[in-house]
Amino acid sequence: MKSLTLAVAVTIFLVVLAPAALAQDGVQWVPSVKEALKQAKERGALIFVGMTLADEASNDAQIEAYKDPAFVKASKNFVCIFANPTIRATVTVEIDGKKVKRCAAAPTITCEQSQICYREIRQNHTRNTDSTNAVRMPYNMFIDGKNEFIAEVVNGTVEGGFDVVPGPALAAVMNELVAKLGKPLTTAQYEKLKKILADADAAKKKGDLKKASKLYGEVIEANKLSALADQAQKNLDEIDSVAKGELEEALAKVDEDPLAAMIALEAVIENYAGTETAREARKKLSELKKRKDVKKLLGKLKKEKEATAKIADAEELVEAGEYTRAIAALKSIARKYRGTKAAETATARVAELEGDPEIAKKIEAAEAEKFSERCLRMGRNYATNGMTDKAKAEFRKVIDKYPGTPWAEEAKKEIEKLK
């Protein structure tokens, strides 16, 4: 048995799943080189080419090796071409309820299709031709979407001839390529990425560059060498040119207003995710945050953010009509965050609320209700426990402070009950 060799070209491209199955439990051989190249370009594929002859022991053994479970499983990560120059035995298979003839050696295609594949492959690849111009087979190789040679897996030499390469040995090489280059896309993933790319294009057209950048990045990261990734990268590069202008504007603010520069850099990072400019902005922002003066500014910015958030909470109290609590909260903010713009805002808001006649009336009414309810409750508790004098004192507080109100009338009734 001749030694098994693997010759690998300098450039190796990403692999991808084979096309939809005609015979689900075997290798999914594609019907033409054109179709294989199309899939390779669209999905970033490596193409496996198996070349054999009819009625020759080592070649027949190679065809059997293609049926080995390990090879069949590994082949799912490749586009596969079966190339045979001669007509082989045919089999009848049922597809969509119809009985059709297929090549016995490769049941997903016809023998005529395998012959055409052989001729087209031979036009571009002659590495298995010896000095007498004899073609040596069985022969196994990989090509890329540009129909360029990538690697061969053979058992022997061109001059001495080739013998069968066992299925597990082929599978080991194929799995090694997948491990090195990454798991390929499934058909479902490919369709999903096409939808994402379309959504990204639509967002870009509408001017939503933030959304477009994010979606283009998803397509590229899923399979960096697919045709979809190429298109996504092209569009992302166009967006990147816009991002560069914003990065330049942000960097121009660094010396004069570092805080504004940081905010601008963060906007570039968020709005143009996945671009080179976003990565550059992240690097610049990291450098800027290490400066002592900037660290001090960041501390101040943190206090501003905290105070602003609390002002927002106070405004919710205003919306709910809780004016007394809102004013108390704003006064607390002004004291705690003295020296910040947020503190100034809180102070101004207190003056605005306290100076509003309508709000003042509502605050007074709320305080009157709160005071009266508390006194009435305390008075009733005293009365229940036989503490008449203390009960009367609580009721009179309401009458004296808020005469003529419903609470004062209620207090009078409680005093009458005590008599």
Side-chain angles (χ1 to χ4, degrees):
M1 180 67 72
K2 304 177 182 68
S3 62
L4 180 67
T5 61
L6 168 63
V8 182
V10 175
T11 306
I12 294 182
F13 290 83
L14 190 63
V15 294
V16 71
L17 288 181
L22 291 175
Q24 297 294 339
D25 56 350
V27 178
Q28 306 310 307
W29 305 103
V30 296
S32 68
V33 174
K34 181 180 179 181
E35 174 62 24
L37 293 173
K38 177 177 180 291
Q39 287 192 35
K41 291 175 182 176
E42 288 181 344
R43 301 181 183 181
L46 274 185
I47 301 170
F48 171 78
V49 180
M51 302 180 71
T52 67
L53 284 169
D55 303 323
E56 197 277 327
S58 60
N59 284 273
D60 288 343
Q62 188 65 71
I63 290 171
E64 289 304 310
Y66 295 153
K67 299 176 184 178
D68 183 277
F71 176 77
V72 172
K73 183 178 179 180
S75 73
K76 303 304 179 184
N77 292 322
F78 294 78
V79 177
C80 297
I81 293 175
F82 181 73
N84 193 296
T86 56
I87 295 292
R88 302 187 64 88
T90 61
V91 292
T92 300
V93 298
E94 188 171 305
I95 300 176
D96 297 331
K98 296 181 179 181
K99 293 183 178 180
V100 295
K101 293 288 185 180
R102 290 291 182 263
C103 182
T108 61
I109 62 174
T110 66
C111 291
E112 289 77 12
Q113 287 170 334
S114 72
Q115 286 181 300
I116 295 171
C117 285
Y118 176 83
R119 289 196 294 270
E120 292 182 358
I121 290 295
R122 292 301 304 151
Q123 287 177 2
N124 295 286
H125 304 284
T126 57
R127 290 176 176 270
N128 57 332
T129 303
D130 65 17
S131 58
T132 66
N133 205 32
V135 179
R136 297 292 191 173
M137 290 183 279
Y139 182 68
N140 307 287
M141 71 173 176
F142 298 93
I143 59 176
D144 62 22
K146 297 179 181 179
N147 206 1
E148 294 180 356
F149 175 83
I150 299 300
E152 63 181 10
V153 184
V154 294
N155 186 3
T157 65
V158 173
E159 293 302 325
F162 297 131
D163 203 346
V164 59
V165 178
L170 280 173
V173 174
M174 297 168 89
N175 291 335
E176 183 180 347
L177 287 171
V178 173
K180 181 177 181 179
L181 302 173
K183 189 71 175 175
L185 297 175
T186 65
T187 301
Q189 288 171 331
Y190 176 65
E191 293 300 324
K192 181 180 178 180
L193 287 181
K194 286 200 296 185
K195 176 63 168 59
I196 293 174
L197 183 60
D199 290 343
D201 290 341
K204 179 173 176 285
K205 187 175 182 180
K206 291 180 180 179
D208 189 350
L209 302 186
K210 178 180 179 180
K211 180 179 179 180
S213 296
K214 178 178 179 297
L215 294 177
Y216 286 137
E218 289 181 18
V219 175
I220 294 168
E221 287 304 314
N223 188 328
K224 294 182 179 180
L225 294 174
S226 70
L228 296 183
D230 290 341
Q231 184 59 49
Q233 188 62 61
K234 178 182 177 182
N235 291 337
L236 193 59
D237 289 343
E238 292 177 4
I239 293 175
D240 195 35
S241 64
V242 178
K244 286 179 180 178
E246 295 190 16
L247 176 61
E248 291 175 1
E249 291 179 6
L251 295 178
K253 301 175 182 177
V254 169
D255 294 328
E256 183 179 346
D257 191 346
L259 198 57
M262 283 192 293
I263 293 173
L265 287 170
E266 287 174 348
V268 171
I269 294 169
E270 181 180 358
N271 295 333
Y272 303 102
T275 64
E276 286 296 326
T277 299
R279 287 187 278 274
E280 180 66 18
R282 185 174 285 104
K283 178 182 176 182
K284 295 294 183 182
L285 181 63
S286 177
E287 294 172 355
L288 193 55
K289 286 182 176 179
K290 293 177 182 178
R291 283 174 33 175
K292 290 183 179 180
D293 60 327
V294 173
K295 287 182 178 180
K296 185 176 181 181
L297 283 172
L298 287 175
K300 184 177 180 181
L301 179 61
K302 183 179 179 181
K303 291 182 67 176
E304 287 284 1
K305 288 183 176 180
E306 288 178 357
T308 300
K310 291 185 177 182
I311 289 175
D313 293 339
E315 289 297 342
E316 289 184 5
L317 292 174
V318 172
E319 289 294 325
E322 298 279 349
Y323 299 110
T324 301
R325 289 178 60 197
I327 290 173
L330 289 167
K331 287 181 177 179
S332 175
I333 293 169
R335 289 192 302 272
K336 184 176 179 179
Y337 298 96
R338 186 177 289 110
T340 65
K341 291 182 180 180
E344 294 176 4
T345 300
T347 301
R349 186 60 171 141
V350 169
E352 182 182 354
L353 292 172
E354 291 182 334
D356 188 316
E358 292 298 321
I359 290 178
K361 288 179 181 179
K362 291 178 181 179
I363 291 175
E364 184 179 357
E367 290 178 348
E369 180 179 9
K370 184 178 180 180
F371 177 83
S372 300
E373 291 291 347
R374 182 177 62 80
C375 290
L376 288 169
R377 184 172 61 256
M378 290 291 291
R380 289 174 182 133
N381 287 338
Y382 285 139
T384 300
N385 290 285
M387 304 170 71
T388 305
D389 290 341
K390 287 187 175 182
K392 288 180 179 179
E394 290 296 326
F395 294 141
R396 287 193 182 103
K397 286 179 183 179
V398 179
I399 296 169
D400 294 341
K401 190 164 186 177
Y402 298 108
T405 65
W407 301 300
E409 294 302 317
E410 187 67 25
K412 290 178 182 179
K413 291 178 182 180
E414 294 293 341
I415 291 175
E416 286 298 321
K417 289 179 184 179
L418 293 175
K419 291 181 180 180

